[in-house]
């Protein structure tokens, strides 16, 4: 996968608890919306978000990008995320849709899904995800 270094630095900043590295990835007018519905607008609020999230022993334990696609100035990334937050370890899958301008992240939208797949109506047999 050939991912823009700014995006790689963004993910690494969370893993390393490095607020300065995090802020260097963001552009003017930064806007983020998490899967929880929480919204962060502007660099100062982004700093508060990052520092507040990392208070105490909260930490990102793993954030693995599984796939990435680029369309003009937009990126779509799927990932698996594991963190310890409020003394609870959680793992989930997710997707980030972000927009860049002048080599910085200016918009970020995150979506999540449960880590474990469930098949409430049974798992189909002999089903292929391939198209002809």
């Amino acid at each position: 996968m050939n991912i823009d270094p700014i995006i790689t630095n963004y993910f690494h900043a969370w893993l390393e608890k490095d607020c300065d590295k995090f802020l260097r990835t963001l552009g003017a007018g930064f806007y983020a919306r998490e899967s929880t519905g929480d919204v962060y607008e502007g660099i100062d609020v982004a700093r508060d978000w990052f520092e507040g999230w990392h208070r105490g022993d909260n930490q990102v334990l793993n954030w693995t990008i599984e796939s990435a696609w680029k369309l003009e100035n937009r990126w779509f990334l799927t990932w698996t995320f594991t963190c310890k937050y409020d003394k609870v370890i959680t793992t989930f899958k997710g997707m980030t849709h972000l927009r860049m301008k002048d080599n910085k992240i200016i918009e970020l939208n995150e979506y999540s899904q449960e880590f474990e797949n469930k098949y409430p109506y049974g798992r189909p047999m002999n089903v292929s995800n391939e198209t002809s």
Side-chain angles (χ1 to χ4, degrees):
M1 264 182 295
N2 191 12
I3 299 172
D4 190 296
I6 295 296
I7 296 169
T8 302
N9 285 341
Y10 175 87
F11 280 74
H12 287 172
W14 284 91
L15 285 159
E16 299 163 6
K17 292 187 171 188
D18 188 336
C19 190
D20 290 333
K21 180 185 270 190
F22 167 74
L23 294 173
R24 285 192 302 272
T25 68
L26 309 182
F30 174 75
Y31 173 92
R33 180 178 29 230
E34 288 192 286
S35 58
T36 60
D38 294 345
V39 174
Y40 311 99
E41 292 187 69
I43 301 297
D44 291 338
V45 173
R47 177 187 295 108
D48 293 343
W49 167 38
F50 189 91
E51 291 175 349
W53 195 97
H54 286 98
R55 283 198 178 104
D57 65 349
N58 295 340
Q59 69 181 87
V60 177
L61 302 171
N62 184 42
W63 202 355
T64 303
I65 298 172
E66 296 167 354
S67 62
W69 305 272
K70 182 181 182 192
L71 179 62
E72 297 175 0
N73 66 338
R74 296 179 182 274
W75 282 85
F76 303 86
L77 304 105
T78 61
W79 38 259
T80 300
F81 180 87
T82 302
C83 71
K84 182 169 127 181
Y85 193 84
D86 289 340
K87 300 181 182 177
V88 175
I89 295 178
T90 304
T91 298
F92 60 91
K93 292 185 171 287
M95 188 209 126
T96 297
H97 164 220
L98 63 83
R99 188 165 55 103
M100 297 183 71
K101 182 178 179 184
D102 300 327
N103 227 13
K104 301 283 185 177
I105 298 168
I106 60 168
E107 181 182 353
L108 183 123
N109 293 282
E110 293 188 337
Y111 307 90
S112 69
Q113 70 182 68
E114 296 294 324
F115 183 73
E116 295 294 329
N117 292 328
K118 299 174 186 170
Y119 299 91
Y121 300 103
R123 187 172 188 160
M125 302 304 257
N126 299 320
V127 174
S128 174
N129 290 329
E130 296 179 24
T131 56
S132 301

